Amino acid sequence: MKTNKILLSVAVAGVMLSACNDLNQVPYANYVTEDQKKQVVADNPEMASASVNALPQMSNTYLALFRGNPRVDTDYGVPSIMMMMDHRGMDMVSQLNDYQWYTAALEMSDFGGRYYNNIIFWRTFYNMVSSSNAVLSLIPGDTTNPESQYFRAQALGFRAWAYSWLGQMYQFTYARNPQAPTVPLILDTNLDEAAQNGMERASGEVLYNQVLADCNEAISLLDQAKLGGMTRATVAGGNLEKTFINQTVLYGLKARVDLIKQDYEAAENDASEAIRLATADGHRCYTMDEAAKPGINKISDPSFIWGFYVDPSSSLVGLIGWGGQMIPWHPNGYPGAGCYRLINKALYAKISSVDVRKGWWLNENAQPGSGMPSQYRDYINPANAEGYGIEPVPAYCGVKFGAYNDEPGATVNAEDIPYMRMEELYLMLAEAQGMRSPAIGAKTLTDFVKANRMPTYSCNASTTEEFRDELWFQRRIELWGEGFSYFDMMRFEKTLDRRGGGYDPTLVYVVDPSNPVLIYDMEYQEAENNPKIGIKTNGATKPSAVPDIE
């Protein structure tokens, strides 16, 4: 277990993929020329289909990077990255013990280019970029074939998603300096150049403009493909439908980027359109009754706009996966070994007692909210811990996410994972409105919370700063555990302050928003092999603990 934060050895590095060099490959093929790429679809049209169908799976793949040598139990893609980021911030607390795989994130010691977390972050998203670029190299932008239009749109959407993550972790917030370098922007149009000569880091302005351009092209292509009967519902269907991207997802991704750029007018337009499309498709927020019990674990729920379906027969239902690391309801998971995921107790204290979300965490006495069903109450009863073979569930433990089939104590950790929910769209709309007009944003926020979470709620912010703080607070509660808290803290330029949060004394930090420890250094192979990478390290050091407060 002690391998959870060590540097990657040279021997292990030999089995890893090089992010820079592999970006000019078609999946499962050797290096190819541009002419060969164009011939692939003509000779084997199933190649594009297979590559696109693999994109959602790439976001959550069992031991994809280290291949079990060594075994790194955080090597399962984007859901693990979501947990890394939440642990890096100040909203997700967890115990330190020999079973804790997120120690380096909690310590904020994972910024170096050879640390597992950094490598997983970099290569997960650049592998997604690589496969997306391969598809885009095969399908021209002016295709009139509905199937090809759909495939190209998926590749554009997943590439946009990947770069939106990369841009936030390797540079400070866009608003501080749009010209600051982020990461190399490898596209289907510059693959040969990047492979032969390397690629410089793109500015935030260039990177996010490309993300928006990809989303816009994908929206247009999906609109055209729909006329030919090609949608994610007709192509995938069932539990896999929402693992692919549609226009709603793309407008949601655009709104996220608009908010990073502080382009609030564009964010309002994009969030509004996402809500319109989602509503037309039957999406809605979880009701108060639904939110009063553990849930947010089924991709078929109407709140889920986009997510990952965990097949109960897959390898992701054991220790290595979202269920085995995040969900507290399984004896064969790390939470049961004592690595429960807790809310910052100072944040919990600020949640109103009449807010249904108060029940998403156990209280200071490790007691559940009134809406928790009996089978869940039985599992967390300290008297039953030994019988279930688990460590007692502690105070402030997150119980937001329900057990697979509502069966706590079962050995199948097959909970689905949210990438975008209806609730986020309303929070983005409120933010976009409130940062231009606090009164309008406050009304939207009030309507959302009052209808879905707390009947007596009212947002009384009268200034932009007051509104932003209240909006941030609502996001910290509603989206806890879904990978947003760290980057929200970064883009709002808030001080990371863990005092009074219930952290181990060695992890009580106060970190200024300009401290370079908040961003990652360049991944080590990219730094070594890309001659145009520029600055490779940010000069960060691990924070020192400060005295705690009650």
Side-chain angles (χ1 to χ4, degrees), residues 436-453:
R436 292 195 295 157
S437 170
I440 295 175
K443 183 181 185 307
T444 298
L445 188 60
T446 296
D447 290 346
F448 163 70
V449 176
K450 194 171 184 177
N452 301 290
R453 300 294 182 260

Side-chain angles (χ1 to χ4, degrees), residues 357-373:
R357 294 169 297 187
K358 193 90 169 182
W360 286 0
W361 303 273
L362 302 187
N363 68 15
E364 61 275 14
N365 298 313
Q367 295 300 305
S370 60
M372 181 171 285

Side-chain angles (χ1 to χ4, degrees), residues 153-310:
Q154 292 298 318
L156 287 164
F158 276 96
R159 184 173 76 179
W161 186 44
Y163 275 128
S164 72
W165 278 88
L166 287 161
Q168 293 180 87
M169 195 60 221
Y170 291 90
Q171 188 49 264
F172 289 108
T173 181
Y174 173 94
R176 183 182 299 182
N177 181 6
Q179 302 309 315
T182 57
V183 296
L185 186 60
I186 312 296
L187 307 173
D188 57 298
T189 54
N190 64 14
L191 290 173
D192 291 340
E193 176 189 354
Q196 293 171 13
N197 304 314
M199 183 66 62
E200 66 278 359
R201 297 166 66 182
S203 69
E205 181 176 35
V206 170
L207 183 138
Y208 290 121
N209 285 346
Q210 182 65 51
V211 170
L212 293 173
D214 282 356
C215 289
N216 286 331
E217 182 182 349
I219 289 168
S220 177
L221 286 167
L222 288 179
D223 287 343
Q224 296 173 64
K226 185 177 181 179
L227 297 176
M230 297 293 295
T231 68
R232 69 178 187 177
T234 61
V235 174
N239 288 321
L240 295 180
E241 176 185 344
K242 293 183 188 178
T243 67
F244 290 91
I245 285 171
N246 67 0
Q247 293 94 322
T248 306
V249 173
L250 291 163
Y251 278 108
L253 290 177
K254 286 183 63 181
R256 289 178 182 176
V257 172
D258 295 333
L259 292 176
I260 292 170
K261 296 179 65 177
Q262 296 187 0
D263 186 347
Y264 297 119
E265 181 177 1
E268 180 177 358
N269 292 336
D270 288 329
S272 295
E273 182 63 9
I275 291 170
R276 185 189 71 80
L277 292 170
T279 302
D281 283 342
H283 293 288
R284 60 168 175 79
C285 298
Y286 286 103
T287 66
M288 288 190 199
D289 287 342
E290 291 168 338
K293 57 187 179 181
I296 315 181
N297 63 345
K298 294 189 288 293
I299 201 167
S300 59
D301 286 353
S303 170
F304 271 65
I305 292 170
W306 185 32
F308 187 89
Y309 168 68
V310 178

Side-chain angles (χ1 to χ4, degrees), residues 61 82 100 113 230 372 390 409 478 486-487:
T61 303
M82 290 159 57
Q100 180 58 263
M230 297 293 295
M372 181 171 285
I390 62 171
E478 181 66 38
Y486 189 75
F487 292 132

